[in-house]
């Protein structure tokens, strides 16, 4: 069996680390972001590690559990790794909700940094 | 009122053109892709305009209608535009389904080309 391509290994590894860290101690996610990183969280925009971590730390719940349904990865022409996640999450004792998230990962100083992060809950009004 | 940033205009404009074209005559979407473009469609990978259009044209339905719920956009450090769409679609007379899709748009020869495209239906098994 051949190994999966490097961009797939990088993306899949990031997904595992990110959600494990988010669910156990999200205040330590800061090491995954840089000063130029952008987060769009439910339409709100944040730039830079400090602003991003302020947002993540201020989310109003005690506990959260993510469950990843699918994760897809692609290389970009600029050497980044593009990752799209579809999953479900539960905060505190609320009902389970669907979510989607994307990440752009870039290798800087031999570390993979999350340069772009977009998150949306899957809220639809089905007819 | 100020204008929205260029990357937001580019992303929002692409979303409008892409889904309108997809729903009316998807065989003409090829002009939005290039030879290095990548598509991941429900986990299947395709590279290059020809392979991407073969996939899109072979999708097994007569009619489709997309409805965009949210679209978010960010600039990347490499000058591309990153777009995430959450929406609903209906094919033929099937039930409405949720979907998510992301695009990376790059300016090449004064045209915005879709370099990366990932699509997933929102299929979860809610407990």
């Amino acid at each position: 069996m051949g190994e999966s391509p490097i961009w797939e290994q990088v993306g899949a590894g990031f997904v595992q680390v990110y959600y494990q860290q988010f669910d156990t101690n999200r205040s330590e996610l800061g090491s995954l972001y840089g000063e130029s990183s952008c987060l769009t969280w439910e339409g709100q925009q944040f730039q830079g590690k400090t602003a991003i971590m302020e947002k993540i730390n201020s989310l109003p719940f005690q506990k959260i559990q993510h469950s990843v349904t699918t994760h897809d990865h692609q290389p970009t022409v600029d050497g980044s790794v593009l990752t799209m996640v579809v999953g479900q999450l539960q905060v505190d004792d609320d009902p389970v909700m669907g979510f989607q998230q994307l990440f752009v990962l870039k290798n800087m100083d031999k570390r993979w940094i999350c340069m772009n992060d977009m998150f949306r809950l899957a809220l639809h009004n089905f007819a």
Side-chain angles (χ1 to χ4, degrees), chain A residues 27-41:
Chain A
S27 65
E28 290 183 8
L29 283 170
S31 62
L32 303 178
Y33 296 96
E35 295 314 320
S36 310
S37 300
C38 294
L39 167 67
T40 304
W41 186 276

Side-chain angles (χ1 to χ4, degrees), chain A residues 19 22-23 41-42 59 61 63-69 86-92 94-101 119-122:
Chain A
Y19 291 109
F22 204 116
D23 290 359
W41 186 276
E42 288 286 290
L59 292 169
F61 47 77
K63 58 178 181 182
I64 183 167
Q65 189 170 5
H66 291 82
S67 170
V68 172
T69 306
V86 179
Q88 295 172 279
L89 60 80
Q90 184 175 29
V91 298
D92 298 328
D94 291 353
V96 172
M97 290 180 286
F99 75 93
Q100 44 272 326
Q101 194 159 11
F119 173 89
R120 281 274 180 187
L121 291 170

Side-chain angles (χ1 to χ4, degrees), chain A residues 66-95:
Chain A
H66 291 82
S67 170
V68 172
T69 306
T70 61
H71 50 104
D72 295 309
H73 314 281
Q74 283 182 8
T76 76
V77 287
D78 304 301
S80 300
V81 174
L82 186 64
T83 291
M84 183 170 81
V85 176
V86 179
Q88 295 172 279
L89 60 80
Q90 184 175 29
V91 298
D92 298 328
D93 297 318
D94 291 353

